[in-house]
Amino acid sequence: NFSQVTEFILIGLSDKKELQVLYFTFFFLAYTMVLLGNLLIIVTVRSDPQLSSPMYFLLCHLSFIDICCTSVISPRLLVDLLFQRKSIAFEACVAQLFFLHFVGASEMFLLTAMAYDRYAAICKPLHYTALMSRQVCWVLVSACWVGGFLHSIVQTLLTIQLPFCGPNKIDNYFCDVPPVIRLACTDIYVTEWLMASNSGLISLLCFLVLVTSYTFILVTIRVRFTEGHWKALSTCGSHMLIVTLFFVPCIFIYLWPFSASPSDKHICVIYTVICPVMNPLIYTLRNNEVKASMWKLWKNCR
């Protein structure tokens, strides 16, 4: 694409040494919690036959995606916080952009699949076994990964076809589509619209589907409220909290890529770091079955 830029400079969250030390501590602890928490969920679900329902099957895949998503950004970020010059090669930047959108879009689709699972369990309990068989679960998970790949490859191709020949400073702590394409030496108006229709609309449509499914769930619970439905409502409430924290920043960032804001990179922290940290906390501390399985796993390991 006739690009003359061989590397980009990541400006990061701050150039103050004191804040960099604080950020390093925060992101290191967050990354450690993501790895340990999600690995614990995966091991617990895999080791306990009682956690074989579709909900836990999807939760296990969500934990794996969270590990992948935060591993695309956090290790590089932690290294950059230790050095003043935060440079990244052009090829490495494109690779980070690709894998970030690959796992990020896959997580969006998986959260939508998890909402469908809760809808089927609560609104269609008599048909739940047929609607969410193991074959259907594998089809849903496979579709999430394929959809994430297709989304990411489109974003990557739209980015690498642009010429980069001038500025190379990215006002962020990782390579993402909006800040990268603003450095292109050409008019990016059409590209920005294509980016918005890809990332932005996917985020918005998935979020609307999720809100719609939870609306049906709330209506169903209101009509026939039982103790079992209260448990389901608690699970859906936790799920909706994660969904809101994940989708709203994505919609804000990707649906309006035309107007850059200095706060964009701080908003990115919500869905790249905070959400992966909260997933294992919410799905374990608010779930008695998972906590009981973890306790049993701990006693067996002693």
Side-chain angles (χ1 to χ4, degrees), residues 57 67 83 117 233:
F57 175 82
I67 292 175
F83 299 94
D117 169 70
L233 179 61

Tab-separated table of all heavy atoms in Angstrom, residues 57 67 83 117 233:
chain	number	residue	atom	x	y	z
A	57	PHE	N	-21.354	-24.262	29.755
A	57	PHE	CA	-20.575	-24.506	28.534
A	57	PHE	C	-20.205	-23.182	27.866
A	57	PHE	O	-19.050	-22.952	27.490
A	57	PHE	CB	-21.391	-25.385	27.583
A	57	PHE	CG	-20.741	-25.613	26.254
A	57	PHE	CD1	-19.772	-26.586	26.093
A	57	PHE	CD2	-21.114	-24.862	25.146
A	57	PHE	CE1	-19.162	-26.794	24.851
A	57	PHE	CE2	-20.523	-25.066	23.913
A	57	PHE	CZ	-19.549	-26.037	23.762
A	67	ILE	N	-9.568	-14.321	28.389
A	67	ILE	CA	-8.118	-14.499	28.503
A	67	ILE	C	-7.428	-14.067	27.214
A	67	ILE	O	-6.407	-13.366	27.236
A	67	ILE	CB	-7.793	-15.967	28.833
A	67	ILE	CG1	-8.269	-16.315	30.246
A	67	ILE	CG2	-6.291	-16.230	28.716
A	67	ILE	CD1	-8.086	-17.779	30.606
A	83	PHE	N	9.014	1.524	29.797
A	83	PHE	CA	9.948	2.228	28.929
A	83	PHE	C	9.335	3.538	28.465
A	83	PHE	O	8.127	3.680	28.364
A	83	PHE	CB	10.314	1.371	27.711
A	83	PHE	CG	10.996	0.069	28.073
A	83	PHE	CD1	10.260	-1.094	28.214
A	83	PHE	CD2	12.358	0.022	28.295
A	83	PHE	CE1	10.861	-2.283	28.546
A	83	PHE	CE2	12.975	-1.168	28.633
A	83	PHE	CZ	12.231	-2.328	28.764
A	117	ASP	N	-29.570	-18.331	25.367
A	117	ASP	CA	-29.655	-19.480	26.276
A	117	ASP	C	-30.546	-19.163	27.462
A	117	ASP	O	-31.388	-19.973	27.869
A	117	ASP	CB	-28.249	-19.852	26.749
A	117	ASP	CG	-28.278	-20.858	27.887
A	117	ASP	OD1	-28.646	-22.016	27.636
A	117	ASP	OD2	-27.933	-20.469	29.025
A	233	LEU	N	-33.492	-14.572	37.372
A	233	LEU	CA	-33.424	-13.112	37.296
A	233	LEU	C	-32.095	-12.595	37.827
A	233	LEU	O	-31.505	-11.662	37.280
A	233	LEU	CB	-34.582	-12.500	38.083
A	233	LEU	CG	-34.644	-10.968	38.137
A	233	LEU	CD1	-34.801	-10.411	36.726
A	233	LEU	CD2	-35.785	-10.511	39.021
